[in-house]
Amino acid sequence: MMQIVDVYAKALLESGISDKALTDACTVLEACPMLWEMLCNPTVAKKEKQNVIKRIFGEEITSFLQVLCDNGKMQLLFAIQKAYHDLLRQKQNIGTATVYCTIIPEQSQKDAIAQMLCKLEHKKEFILHWQEDKTLLGGICIQCGNKQYDRSVRNSLNLLRKNLVQGVKA
């Protein structure tokens, strides 16, 4: 399933359709569940879907949405949007990461973490998503793609416990 999402996302990026056109279309479909259901419904005629798309959406995104409907892949639109944004950020050398912490830090600390990640990951910019996690006991844990930077108190205690247990066994 993800391969087809990636294929559509790549085609969307290569077609030159703007992020704004895609975001606007997704916003309309999120705001109108009946429209979304109709476009995803396989029993609704393709011609009817195409006419609705032409009337509602901007010229820039119409062809793409019609292709999705014609191929019975409209239900993948939001996954395609996410994959498209991932590809766009990759192309622009922008990284993303989720930062887990016990308390959300001040802006100056957020900026310092973003700068550190830029250097570590060789990116020009980082978009950080912040989540509180009281189980860390202190410090931070950063999930960046398939890498994890764990400087939490919980991790330090686990490492200490592991070293103590190995020392006892030796």
Side-chain angles (χ1 to χ4, degrees):
M1 183 73 97
M2 285 311 290
Q3 282 183 331
I4 198 155
V5 166
D6 293 337
V7 168
Y8 277 109
K10 187 174 180 184
L12 189 59
L13 185 66
E14 291 172 355
S15 72
I17 293 173
S18 71
D19 179 39
K20 182 180 179 349
L22 177 62
T23 300
D24 289 350
C26 289
T27 301
V28 167
L29 291 169
E30 283 177 324
C32 190
M34 288 177 60
L35 174 62
W36 173 249
E37 288 174 23
M38 186 278 272
L39 292 175
C40 292
N41 188 336
T43 62
V44 176
K46 289 179 184 180
K47 190 72 173 165
E48 189 176 334
K49 291 178 185 181
Q50 288 181 356
N51 289 334
V52 168
I53 289 169
K54 278 183 194 175
R55 284 183 290 179
I56 295 175
F57 297 99
E59 189 177 313
E60 185 178 1
I61 195 79
T62 297
S63 294
F64 182 74
L65 295 176
Q66 288 175 331
V67 168
L68 287 180
C69 282
D70 289 351
N71 294 331
K73 303 296 182 195
M74 191 64 175
Q75 73 279 3
L76 300 178
L77 180 63
F78 294 104
I80 293 167
Q81 181 190 29
K82 183 190 177 314
Y84 169 84
H85 284 131
D86 290 346
L87 288 172
L88 188 59
R89 283 190 294 267
Q90 191 176 48
K91 183 178 178 182
Q92 296 170 338
N93 199 27
I94 297 172
T96 60
T98 302
V99 182
Y100 301 91
C101 49
T102 55
I103 299 170
I104 304 295
E106 295 177 11
Q107 190 59 47
S108 60
Q109 293 170 310
K110 289 179 178 182
D111 293 342
I113 291 168
Q115 288 175 355
M116 176 203 62
L117 281 171
C118 286
K119 289 178 186 173
L120 286 172
E121 297 293 322
H122 308 290
K123 301 286 183 189
K124 75 172 188 176
E125 185 182 330
F126 252 90
I127 297 170
L128 301 178
H129 305 282
W130 297 88
Q131 285 195 338
E132 282 190 25
D133 183 352
K134 300 292 184 188
T135 66
L136 295 177
L137 306 174
I140 64 171
C141 181
I142 302 171
Q143 187 66 46
C144 181
N146 59 1
K147 292 182 186 176
Q148 186 176 52
Y149 301 98
D150 193 342
R151 300 297 180 261
S152 67
V153 173
R154 179 185 64 198
N155 186 53
S156 296
L157 290 172
N158 286 338
L159 290 172
L160 180 60
R161 180 182 12 246
K162 182 180 173 184
N163 288 337
L164 286 172
V165 169
Q166 286 178 348
V168 170
K169 288 181 181 179

